[in-house]
Amino acid sequence: MKQFFGIDVGGTEVKWAIMDEDFHFVGERGSIKTDFSSADEAVDAFASLVEPYRDQVAAIGMSVPGSIMEDDPDGTVHRGGALTYMDQCPLAKIMRERFGMPVAVNNDGKCAALGEYAAGALKGTRFGVTIGIGTGIAGGIVIDGKALRGAHCFAGEFSFLNNNCNQPVAFENIWANTASWKALRAYIFAEKGQEVDEAVDGRIFFKWIEDGDKEAQAGLDRYALAFDNWLINLQAVLDPEVFAIGGGISCHPELFEALERQMDTALGGFTGMLAGFPRPVIKRAQLGNDANIYGAVLEAKRLVEA
C-alpha cells in the first residue's frame, strides 16, 4: 500500500505526518516551529522533514497559507498569508525537483475542506461546505471531491462577506468580525449589560452556559440565530448537502444545539411559496487540527493515481 507525506504549514508551526491510501496515520508524525525569515529557509526546512522518509513515500502533499492557482503545475504561492516571504515561491516545483516525486500544494482552507471530504464530516457527499470559527471565519467548498478555487483562488473566503449592505465594506461589518468566537463573547456580555472582559475566552463562557447561566445562554441563542441567517444566505447561493462547522468552539455541543434550536426561527419567514426552502444541514467537523494534512494527502494521492 502506498504512503504519502503530508505537510501543514501554519503561522505558528509546521505539522507533518505520513498516511497510507486509506487515510490512516503511519508511523511517526511531528511538528516544528514556523520560524523562518525567507522562502529558501522555509523550503529547506520542509525538505528536511521529508528527507528521512523519501524512499518510503510515493508523493508529497502540502497545505499552505496563500493562494495557488488550479492549473499551475509549479504550485506557486501567491501572497502567502501571514508568511509573506512565500509570495511567488514555486513550492511544488522546488520540492518535486529535490525529491523526484509528485508534489501537490494547495491553500490551507481548501485542504481543510478536502480533508473533511476524504475522511470527515463531508465524506460521502457530492457538495459540501466547511466553516471554521476562529478569530475570523475560514471556509471551503467541495464539489465532486474537488475544492472550488474560483477565478482568483478566493472561493470560500467567507470572512469577507459584508453583513451591512447599506454601508461600505469595513471590518466591523464583515463576517470575520460578526461571526467569530469573539462575536459570541460580545453577545454574551451584551446580555449581561457589561463591557467585554478580554480575559474571558471560549472555555470560560461555555462553562457559564453549561452551568445554566441564563444571560450566557441568551447570548449564545442570539449568536446562533445570526449565524443561522448567514447559513441560509449560503444555502441560497451554494445549496450544499452539509455545512461542517469547525474551529475551537466547535468542541462544545451547546453550540450545535443552539444552531439547531434557532434554525426554525431563522426559517420562519419562508412560508407559502417558499415553504420548500432547503433546511441547512449542520454537522460538526470531525478532523480538528489534522484536517489540513488529510486534505494535502488527498491531493498528493490524486497525483499518483492520475
Side-chain angles (χ1 to χ4, degrees):
M1 181 177 285
K2 291 184 175 66
Q3 297 179 358
F4 305 90
F5 200 96
I7 299 176
D8 175 19
V9 181
T12 303
E13 63 178 359
V14 179
K15 295 179 290 186
W16 63 271
I18 299 173
M19 280 187 170
D20 64 21
E21 294 175 272
D22 295 327
F23 300 102
H24 298 135
F25 288 104
V26 178
E28 297 180 84
R29 56 185 302 189
S31 66
I32 60 173
K33 294 294 184 182
T34 310
D35 188 20
F36 318 123
S37 57
S38 69
D40 288 343
E41 187 179 346
V43 172
D44 285 343
F46 304 153
S48 72
L49 299 175
V50 179
E51 184 61 40
Y53 307 96
R54 65 183 304 159
D55 296 329
Q56 180 180 338
V57 297
I60 301 165
M62 303 186 68
S63 164
V64 301
S67 301
I68 296 88
M69 301 304 289
E70 188 165 10
D71 297 322
D72 178 12
D74 293 340
T76 303
V77 179
H78 298 275
R79 295 182 293 277
L83 310 183
T84 55
Y85 50 78
M86 294 299 294
D87 184 38
Q88 302 306 310
C89 175
L91 185 55
K93 178 182 178 183
I94 295 172
M95 293 289 284
R96 184 171 61 243
E97 290 176 349
R98 287 202 184 192
F99 292 100
M101 68 177 71
V103 178
V105 178
N106 205 344
N107 165 264
D108 47 9
K110 292 170 178 59
C111 279
L114 287 168
E116 290 293 336
Y117 171 80
L122 299 185
K123 187 174 181 179
T125 65
R126 194 184 76 78
F127 193 174
V129 170
T130 57
I131 298 175
I133 304 172
T135 53
I137 299 294
I141 303 164
V142 179
I143 304 173
D144 291 330
K146 295 190 69 176
L148 180 66
R149 301 198 199 197
H152 308 94
C153 289
F154 220 68
E157 296 290 347
F158 300 141
S159 273
F160 301 99
L161 292 174
N162 186 8
N163 297 293
N164 186 347
C165 294
N166 294 316
Q167 297 292 329
V169 176
F171 178 72
E172 57 267 25
N173 294 330
I174 63 173
W175 209 19
N177 182 51
T178 58
S180 69
W181 73 266
K182 291 184 178 181
L184 172 53
R185 180 178 64 184
Y187 276 116
I188 291 171
F189 274 97
E191 288 293 326
K192 291 180 175 293
Q194 301 173 7
E195 293 292 322
V196 172
D197 183 350
E198 297 290 342
V200 173
D201 61 16
R203 288 169 295 184
I204 295 174
F205 61 68
F206 268 102
K207 183 66 166 59
W208 296 346
I209 294 166
E210 292 168 13
D211 291 343
D213 184 318
K214 292 183 179 180
E215 293 163 337
Q217 181 63 65
L220 175 59
D221 284 341
R222 284 179 59 190
Y223 173 86
L225 178 58
F227 202 98
D228 283 345
N229 281 321
W230 294 317
L231 291 185
I232 289 169
N233 286 342
L234 291 177
Q235 189 77 45
V237 175
L238 300 172
D239 195 25
E241 297 168 58
V242 173
F243 288 102
I245 311 295
I249 65 174
S250 70
C251 65
H252 298 280
E254 294 82 4
L255 171 66
F256 292 90
E257 291 165 5
L259 291 171
E260 285 297 331
R261 186 168 58 249
Q262 294 300 319
M263 187 60 76
D264 288 334
T265 302
L267 288 169
F270 289 129
T271 57
M273 68 177 181
L274 293 178
F277 189 96
R279 181 186 179 93
V281 175
I282 304 167
K283 293 184 179 181
R284 178 184 171 186
Q286 296 177 3
L287 303 180
N289 292 331
D290 289 330
N292 293 17
I293 288 181
Y294 278 90
V297 166
L298 175 61
E299 294 283 72
K301 180 182 174 185
R302 284 173 170 165
L303 289 181
V304 172
E305 294 172 344

